[in-house]
Amino acid sequence: MDETEDSGLVNALSKAKRACIRVRWVLICVTALFACGWGASLIVLVIDCIENDPLSFVPLTYLLCYGSLVLAVFMVMLQVFSDVIRDGKPFSLPQADRLGFISLVALVFVIVELLFTAGLSYDLIPEYGYSMVIDDGNSEPTINLNIGMLVFSAIMYSLSAIFRYAALLQQLSDETV
């Protein structure tokens, strides 16, 4: 490679690193906003459960599960971008493991949502009724299968396999040289 190609590559890598820094800061802000809103919602539901409606543990449990899963995805994404900024290596085995973890969290989210909608649809708690809007406000009992999140889980698992393959190829290339 000549010097102009090297400087162009260094310039492109520098731009990519700055983009990763910006994305990381946006993720930090979004995570903080989500955590504050989630925490406030949890406090309101806990107070409601204690003072008024002991059956409000259902939406409280759903909110606790949902928020924990979303927060876990945000935290792992922060780790992904932090490692890329620090090491400059997006294709590594830890990154592949993180993307695999995100796919697992997305799959758990699908299962949690399916269990909650099935529980509400089949009136496992008949006193609670359909006042909880987990099924898009439908008045008839429905069971939701979040296909979008299921596809997202499959895509993230595929990306984790691609990242793992790329990391192993890079390791093989480094050992060969």
Side-chain angles (χ1 to χ4, degrees), residues 6-27:
D6 284 344
S7 66
L9 184 59
V10 168
N11 190 23
L13 285 172
S14 177
K15 285 182 182 180
K17 186 173 185 174
R18 285 193 305 269
C20 285
I21 290 170
R22 285 192 295 273
V23 169
R24 187 175 134 251
W25 278 109
V26 167
L27 269 172

Side-chain angles (χ1 to χ4, degrees), residues 16-81:
K17 186 173 185 174
R18 285 193 305 269
C20 285
I21 290 170
R22 285 192 295 273
V23 169
R24 187 175 134 251
W25 278 109
V26 167
L27 269 172
I28 288 170
C29 293
V30 168
T31 303
L33 287 172
F34 176 80
C36 290
W38 180 53
S41 299
L42 282 175
I43 290 170
V44 167
L45 281 175
V46 165
I47 291 171
D48 185 50
C49 187
I50 292 171
E51 291 180 355
N52 300 329
D53 185 12
L55 288 177
S56 62
F57 74 89
V58 174
L60 177 66
T61 305
Y62 179 74
L63 185 66
L64 189 62
C65 292
Y66 177 83
S68 300
L69 294 172
V70 171
L71 204 55
V73 169
F74 282 154
M75 297 305 288
V76 171
M77 288 306 295
L78 279 170
Q79 288 177 336
V80 166
F81 283 101

Side-chain angles (χ1 to χ4, degrees), residues 149-163:
M149 191 59 72
L150 200 56
V151 169
F152 174 74
S153 176
I155 290 170
M156 292 306 291
Y157 183 76
S158 299
L159 280 175
S160 75
I162 291 168
F163 271 56

